[in-house]
Amino acid sequence: MSKIIELSALELRDAIATGEVSATEATRSYLDAIESLNPKICAYNQVFTEEALQRAEQIDKKRSAGEQLGSLAGLPLAIKDNICTSFGLTTCSSRILDNFRSPYDATVVEKLIEADAIILGKTNMDEFAMGSSTENSAFGITRNPWDTSRVPGGSSGGSAAAVAARLCAAAIGSDTGGSIRQPAAFCGVVGLKPTYGRVSRYGLVAYGSSLDQIGPITRDAKDAALLLGVIAGHDKRDSTSVDRPVPEYLAYLDKPTGEGAKRKLRIGIVKEFQHDSIDPEVLDALKKAIGVFSKAGMEIVEVSLAHSGIDIDSAGRISSYAIACYYLIATAEASSNLARYDGVHYGRRTSQKVNDIIELYSKTRAEGFGDEVKRRIMLGTYALSAGYYDAYYLKALKVRRLIKNDFDSAFQKCDVLLCPTAPELAFPIGQKTDDPVKMYLSDVFTIGANLAGIPGISIPVGLSKSNLPLAIQLLANVFDEQTLLYTARLFEQTSGIGRLKPEMIKDA
């Protein structure tokens, strides 16, 4: 394969800016890689070949004419298929939207295009972002580039797999309970969930409106800083978007204190997240990461997140307040958000004969939604129903406040929290499809950040004995992405762990 696709997004952008590589060459290289490898891993739902090449040609002409280029000029990117684009389809990997064309671009898409990025296509995902494995797509299972018998994580599994397999320079995903960070961990790439309100959700098809956040999936922390700097910012069209200045993230990585000196950070280790139920190799990777930060001169402190930990009862059943809280709030919001898909407003309508509007609704939704989406709609509707609202949904909101208080208290003692991203390595396809509760527990370390609205990042820390990616997660206080990115970059530099590359790429 072309050496162009081995360049990081930042390296490729600079090579295009200097004329060392043309945008057309870069785009063709990635399109060739997609043609070769996408049939094996099913990372993309759609590929915009002609449009991408036309866009690349326009950018090359701008550079040749000496016109000012955007900060992402010529970078071939991928977009998760729940983010609206006025070109192509926006399906959410669901049959109910299998022919839906959005009349507008999401704000993040507008910003990427304004920065002269090239959109290669829309990536596969768990239907309506409901899942932790990308097995719930109506368009096929995405496979992990490190081992195609295993899942890539979810719900942004297509985006993470595309970045890992060098099918794009970087990708955009969405994270409701870990849907950027967990697949990034499984695929050996970097996944950043920004603070809630840092990136506009306008044009993101809603799952859990108080939890959803758009963010980048990249090969290293500097690329994540590059993309976040473009997509972040206030948007008047999104009432949850926060009007707050966007820092120069890349500049901060180069000079984090303004004087270029290394900043001594307090790294908080969450005692509740060091549990016997976690894969031993994941725990070992966490210990090695603690050693790296300690060697770099960082102060290591222990903190508690009492309401986010894991408990095991006498029968060996795993439970967590955070998991219960998240799945009550998320499903309740999903029940409301997905009510609009009824065969009347837009999307697929049943072709069966119906006698009334109720039958039209029920048959359309029965045909259009997959099992997991139906399950979560029913859970959410039940939690919001008369007689159960106070007992379930309202109580979950109270627990959410306690979880936020835990994080607030922890950040008084430390600058960044360090914990696993997921309790295990990428698991085999089909292993958890018959046990939704086990699947839900895949998010036990990531959902707290969404409930509290804080930023989090997953970074690779090497490979397991079975040659699968290992990862750690870093969490920071609200709107402190610069410290989060700096800490991730510090780990990359201190550990000496380079960008991971699956064998299928080496052999291609």
Side-chain angles (χ1 to χ4, degrees):
M1 282 191 175
S2 168
K3 292 182 179 180
I4 290 174
I5 66 172
E6 290 303 320
L7 299 174
S8 71
L10 198 56
E11 291 167 347
L12 179 56
R13 183 202 65 173
D14 293 344
I16 291 171
T18 61
E20 182 183 343
V21 175
S22 72
T24 301
E25 288 174 325
T27 302
R28 287 192 184 278
S29 294
Y30 278 107
L31 289 172
D32 288 345
I34 291 169
E35 184 178 3
S36 173
L37 294 179
N38 193 58
K40 300 176 185 177
I41 62 175
C42 191
Y44 283 89
N45 285 343
Q46 310 161 65
V47 179
F48 308 132
T49 302
E50 292 183 11
E51 296 88 344
L53 289 172
Q54 288 173 4
R55 177 87 173 143
E57 187 178 343
Q58 292 170 1
I59 292 166
D60 286 334
K61 287 180 179 178
K62 281 181 68 173
R63 189 192 64 79
S64 298
E67 297 179 33
Q68 185 174 355
L69 296 175
S71 58
L72 302 180
L75 282 184
L77 307 179
I79 305 292
K80 188 175 179 180
D81 207 0
N82 62 343
I83 298 173
C84 289
T85 54
S86 58
F87 46 92
L89 303 173
T90 300
T91 72
C92 295
S93 290
S94 177
R95 292 184 186 87
I96 209 161
L97 287 176
D98 61 6
N99 197 33
F100 175 66
R101 293 185 179 274
S102 170
Y104 65 93
D105 289 322
T107 297
V108 291
V109 174
E110 289 179 348
K111 289 189 172 189
L112 293 172
I113 292 174
E114 185 179 343
D116 287 332
I118 296 166
I119 310 300
L120 291 174
K122 308 288 280 288
T123 53
N124 199 13
M125 56 184 282
D126 284 299
E127 184 182 4
F128 283 102
M130 298 182 188
S132 304
S133 63
T134 318
E135 294 174 280
N136 297 326
S137 170
F139 307 126
I141 298 169
T142 297
R143 297 176 179 274
N144 194 315
W146 289 88
D147 180 348
T148 54
S149 71
R150 295 177 181 267
V151 303
S155 65
S156 304
S159 291
V163 174
R166 278 43 173 188
L167 306 187
C168 59
I172 300 295
S174 68
D175 192 311
T176 307
S179 290
I180 286 174
R181 290 161 289 153
Q182 187 248 24
F186 281 8
C187 292
V189 293
V190 171
L192 171 64
K193 183 206 88 72
T195 302
Y196 184 79
R198 172 58 84 188
V199 178
S200 172
R201 295 188 303 112
Y202 180 77
L204 172 67
V205 179
Y207 163 23
S209 300
S210 73
L211 302 161
D212 299 336
Q213 186 61 176
I214 294 172
I217 298 177
T218 60
R219 295 181 208 166
D220 60 33
K222 292 196 81 171
D223 284 357
L226 172 66
L227 262 72
L228 181 61
V230 171
I231 65 175
H234 181 241
D235 181 9
K236 293 180 180 178
R237 296 173 294 186
D238 175 10
S239 62
T240 63
S241 173
V242 177
D243 190 0
R244 187 171 177 139
V246 178
E248 294 286 342
Y249 296 114
L250 274 175
Y252 189 87
L253 291 189
D254 293 332
K255 294 185 178 181
T257 64
E259 301 175 358
K262 278 191 175 180
R263 179 181 174 190
K264 186 171 182 178
L265 298 171
R266 295 169 299 165
I267 308 294
I269 311 302
V270 184
K271 65 180 182 180
E272 289 86 1
F273 288 178
Q274 300 177 67
H275 204 282
D276 292 341
S277 63
I278 302 171
D279 187 295
E281 289 192 270
V282 173
L283 281 177
D284 188 51
L286 182 65
K287 292 175 184 175
K288 288 179 180 177
I290 294 171
V292 169
F293 284 119
S294 182
K295 184 179 178 181
M298 304 299 108
E299 181 183 353
I300 307 298
V301 298
E302 187 175 74
V303 298
S304 174
L305 296 176
H307 296 91
S308 298
I310 304 171
D311 292 318
I312 299 182
D313 63 19
S314 58
R317 292 172 297 201
I318 300 174
S319 64
S320 163
Y321 286 121
I323 286 284
C325 173
Y326 170 80
Y327 277 99
L328 281 167
I329 293 172
T331 56
E333 294 182 2
S335 171
S336 175
N337 282 326
L338 271 64
R340 69 196 72 175
Y341 304 103
D342 54 19
V344 176
H345 292 88
Y346 53 84
R348 172 187 285 223
R349 174 182 293 189
T350 181
S351 58
Q352 297 182 54
K353 183 179 179 181
V354 297
N355 297 312
D356 53 43
I357 192 70
I358 301 300
E359 197 172 352
L360 171 64
Y361 284 7
S362 60
K363 288 187 176 180
T364 293
R365 291 163 70 82
E367 293 174 10
F369 290 141
D371 290 344
E372 183 60 31
V373 174
K374 292 173 184 174
R375 180 182 293 116
R376 297 196 190 194
I377 289 172
M378 288 189 287
L379 282 170
T381 303
Y382 182 83
L384 291 174
S385 62
Y388 297 98
Y389 178 91
D390 289 348
Y392 292 104
Y393 182 69
L394 191 59
K395 188 173 289 185
L397 293 180
K398 293 177 180 178
V399 174
R400 183 179 193 172
R401 180 71 254 181
L402 294 175
I403 290 170
K404 179 65 168 66
N405 291 345
D406 284 346
F407 279 105
D408 289 344
S409 177
F411 286 124
Q412 291 178 4
K413 301 175 183 177
C414 65
D415 301 293
V416 176
L417 294 172
L418 169 63
C419 59
T421 309
E424 61 199 334
L425 305 174
F427 49 86
I429 291 170
Q431 185 183 76
K432 300 186 180 185
T433 50
D434 294 331
D435 192 337
V437 175
K438 282 186 178 179
M439 186 74 80
Y440 296 167
L441 287 167
S442 299
D443 302 326
V444 68
F445 298 132
T446 53
I447 57 176
N450 298 83
L451 291 168
I454 63 174
I457 191 170
S458 177
I459 54 176
V461 297
L463 298 175
S464 70
K465 295 174 183 177
S466 54
N467 206 45
L468 293 172
L470 293 163
I472 57 168
Q473 180 183 205
L474 300 169
L475 303 170
N477 213 341
V478 290
F479 297 106
D480 197 10
E481 284 85 357
Q482 60 266 42
T483 298
L484 193 67
L485 288 161
Y486 168 62
T487 310
R489 182 61 180 164
L490 176 71
F491 179 86
E492 291 174 346
Q493 293 173 317
T494 307
S495 68
I497 297 171
R499 296 189 288 266
L500 304 182
K501 185 194 298 186
E503 289 296 328
M504 72 184 305
I505 309 301
K506 299 175 185 177
D507 298 338

